[in-house]
Amino acid sequence: MSTPVGTIALACRFDAREWAEWLPALATALPGETLVRADDQNHDPEAIEVAIVANPPAGALQRYPRLRLVQSLWAGVDRLLADPTIPAGLPIVRMVDPAMNAAMAETALWAVLTLHRGFHTYARQQRDGLWQPHPQRRASGVRIGVLGQGQMGDAVGRRLRALDYRVMGWRRGEPLGPVLAGSDILINLLPLTPDTRGLIDAALLRQLPCGAALVNLARGAHVVDEDLLAALDDGHLHHAVLDVFHQEPLPVGHRYWTHPAVTVLPHVAAQTDAGSAARIVAQNLAAWRRGAPLAHRVDRQAGY
Ligand code: GLV
């Protein structure tokens, strides 16, 4: 087995279709590099210097004693930071990609338009054979709160404002109460950190106006599920659009699957775009190899 020093290991939880998309995209963007799949054990672990990862199982990187850089293909790095086998000093870079921000904005726009104009209600009415128009509101009268003002929160806010929605953003350290009290629709785009885990609980939901809706496009663990279900059951919340869950895939029989006030998506709000992300990986790697500062290096203290 001869593996050149400096080889890049791909520790990615991909299915066959995803591998078929990612391998050529990465090979094209990184022409001078040797790439091996971490799940193909036929390489020398001592030669691995860089790992490109996508939601790897905990412990997946501990067989590489000379690892010097981890590049995530996911924007959220909460699972990597929760893996105690990854040394504290090892630099981790998260994926920041305008293509992903645009995809997230599309999902947020779809959710807001659906909730504002009641298209989810009309879909249910069609299933019931019911012809029943409802009053129409103007976008300028709908207030949207966006939790998280990073790249994605920014992109979402810009697109919503362009459609005339009244958008209020919230970032860590600012008072949350006024944003909650003024949100007909609350969109969660926060990173999952010890500070934000379980943030969306009964106390937070109570501060939303009666009849508000929640759109969670960040992580399932931001939400206390029993509290959200209670708020939906008692009608305080009108609807929830959920893309992410404590356990994924969402377990068979979970109440979210069949709750009439819940829309379930299979964690697809912003999938990483292979072509564009591979080019970003190549830029980051080139910067790292020439000793330049790493853009979007994860701050372990902040947790993202
Ligand atoms: C997906 O959830 C990501 O973090 O990129």
Side-chain angles (χ1 to χ4, degrees), residues 74-76 100 219 267:
W74 277 36
M100 261 178 119
R219 286 291 182 264
H267 200 144

Side-chain angles (χ1 to χ4, degrees), residues 226-244:
E226 310 80 73
D227 292 1
L228 175 58
L229 284 162
L232 290 164
D233 287 341
D234 71 19
H236 179 67
L237 271 199
H238 158 72
H239 201 89
V241 174
L242 306 175
D243 181 53
V244 285

Side-chain angles (χ1 to χ4, degrees), residues 55 72-78 95 100 104 152 217-219 243-244 248 267-272:
N55 196 25
S72 173
L73 297 179
W74 277 36
V77 290
D78 41 287
M95 179 52 61
M100 261 178 119
M104 187 58 93
M152 286 179 173
L217 308 179
R219 286 291 182 264
D243 181 53
V244 285
E248 295 179 3
H267 200 144
V268 290
Q271 299 176 69
T272 315

Side-chain angles (χ1 to χ4, degrees), residues 73-129:
L73 297 179
W74 277 36
V77 290
D78 41 287
R79 295 245 185 112
L80 287 174
L81 297 189
D83 181 346
T85 70
I86 298 182
L90 184 62
I92 299 176
V93 176
R94 66 196 167 86
M95 179 52 61
V96 174
D97 178 357
M100 261 178 119
N101 299 339
M104 187 58 93
E106 288 164 6
T107 304
L109 283 182
W110 161 81
V112 165
L113 286 165
T114 299
L115 293 163
H116 155 215
R117 294 292 307 278
F119 297 128
H120 57 314
T121 305
Y122 293 124
R124 195 176 58 237
Q125 288 183 195
Q126 181 182 353
R127 281 196 298 277
D128 298 342

Side-chain angles (χ1 to χ4, degrees), residues 164-175:
D164 266 358
Y165 288 104
R166 280 160 56 188
V167 182
M168 213 184 329
W170 179 79
R171 56 165 51 87
R172 222 162 37 117
E174 294 176 352

